[in-house]
Amino acid sequence: MGMTSAHPHRSVLYVPAANEKALAKIPDLPADAIILDLEDAVAPDQKAAARNSLVRFFEKRPNKRLIIRINAMSTPWGVDDLAAARACKPDAILLPKVDSPRDILETDDALDEGDAPKRIRLWAMIETPKAMMNIGAIAGLGRDRAARLACLVAGTNDLAKDTGIRMTPDRRYLMPALSQMVMAARAGNLTVLDGVSNNFRDLDAFAVECREASNMGFDGKTLIHPAQIDPANSAFAPSDEDVAQAQAIVDAFAADPTQGVIQINGRMIERLHLAQAEALLAARID
């Protein structure tokens, strides 16, 4: 489980910006963050109405971490979406179809030119073959705070479509790409989120997918249905056993702070394990 952000991102739910009923339910949802979607979830003839709905929603902003997914800047709706998102001042703006660092930097420049607060971060969808080829350079922007990049989001459906990767229930053919996303995110000190699971009715299978993603190093998962929130929160939270082990490591070093290596139950524990334990305890949600 990654520890790159002060905020948990175990469950990040997509909500169509044009769906007033769904928007009204957001304050009561236990998701760690909400992605208000202007892209895939909104039909072309509803884009303008969705932007207007979003502006009204932010006038009574709930106490939630809110991200707006805009349409790509190369589409007819991208410029207007970005202007609306900038006016709403969300926690982050999610960019689809990111192919290279330039896509991030050009959006950052546009936000700066519009005097958008620096607290508005950028998230990047990794969903194209070009993005996978450039993922190291894209993630490297995470080390430059001026670039605003804070998170990579796996767009598994589009990636499978564009590459021909077969989407099996165990995702075996997709695993190399997912692992590469995690590695790149860690190198760039970024949060990284797993892609959506399309079968929202099979929550047992979904829970397995979440646990595997957590074991791979993802910080959380993007969701398409509220029923997926609780399983995601559970899978990406430290277990009681993990917390107990971490606390034991912290306590042992606190008892003898001069030591570089200690032994706990027959295991050699180094200071790098202490750093991991402290991060896990800091990320715990009571």
Side-chain angles (χ1 to χ4, degrees):
M1 182 175 57
M3 303 293 174
T4 56
S5 172
H7 303 282
H9 292 86
R10 303 165 301 170
S11 54
V12 182
L13 177 69
Y14 286 103
V15 175
N19 189 330
E20 301 272 0
K21 248 175 109 174
L23 293 176
K25 295 177 181 178
I26 286 175
D28 298 321
L29 295 175
D32 287 335
I34 302 292
I35 297 174
L36 300 151
D37 194 12
L38 291 169
E39 195 212 14
D40 285 348
V42 180
D45 62 352
Q46 293 295 312
K47 299 291 188 184
R51 282 193 294 271
N52 293 334
S53 175
L54 207 56
V55 171
R56 291 193 299 272
F57 174 79
F58 271 86
E59 289 174 354
K60 298 181 179 179
R61 176 176 178 158
N63 184 25
K64 289 282 185 183
R65 285 187 59 74
L66 301 175
I67 297 88
I68 297 175
R69 180 164 73 168
I70 65 173
N71 286 274
M73 297 303 289
S74 59
T75 69
W77 313 286
V79 171
D80 289 340
D81 282 359
L82 184 61
R86 185 177 63 227
C88 289
K89 296 183 175 62
D91 294 289
I93 296 171
L94 176 56
L95 306 180
K97 305 298 187 291
V98 169
D99 282 336
S100 73
R102 176 174 300 211
D103 296 317
I104 306 291
L105 295 173
E106 288 180 349
T107 306
D108 175 50
D109 288 344
L111 290 172
D112 287 346
E113 290 168 7
D115 292 325
K118 273 296 184 184
R119 68 167 185 80
I120 300 177
R121 313 305 291 167
L122 292 175
W123 290 14
M125 295 288 302
I126 305 300
E127 55 186 343
T128 68
K130 283 185 180 179
M132 290 305 306
M133 292 298 97
N134 293 321
I135 194 166
I138 292 169
L141 294 178
R143 296 286 178 181
D144 178 7
R145 188 161 179 82
R148 297 179 185 260
L149 186 62
C151 180
L152 303 182
V153 180
T156 46
N157 286 330
D158 280 285
L159 189 60
K161 173 178 69 70
D162 288 352
T163 59
I165 293 173
R166 186 177 178 188
M167 291 283 280
T168 57
D170 60 6
R171 303 200 299 176
R172 71 177 69 182
Y173 304 114
L174 195 61
M175 288 297 182
L178 294 174
S179 294
Q180 188 65 20
M181 291 181 203
V182 173
M183 292 294 181
R186 296 297 166 247
N189 196 32
L190 299 168
T191 299
V192 59
L193 303 178
D194 190 14
V196 300
S197 177
N198 298 317
N199 185 359
F200 60 85
R201 296 189 185 281
D202 190 346
L203 294 180
D204 290 336
F206 175 74
V208 171
E209 195 169 293
C210 285
R211 286 194 295 271
E212 289 178 345
S214 177
N215 290 336
M216 289 176 67
F218 282 97
D219 295 289
K221 193 164 180 66
T222 47
L223 317 176
I224 59 171
H225 194 278
Q228 297 175 322
I229 295 173
D230 286 342
N233 284 345
S234 177
F236 288 96
S239 68
D240 291 342
E241 181 181 357
D242 291 338
V243 171
Q245 289 178 353
Q247 191 63 58
I249 291 171
V250 170
D251 291 345
F253 275 105
D256 194 353
T258 63
Q259 294 298 314
V261 179
I262 59 174
Q263 181 186 160
I264 298 179
N265 297 327
R267 290 178 58 217
M268 297 303 295
I269 306 296
E270 302 177 63
R271 286 201 167 268
L272 67 89
H273 299 114
L274 173 62
Q276 291 172 332
E278 290 172 336
L280 185 146
L281 293 174
R284 180 179 51 183
I285 299 174
D286 296 323

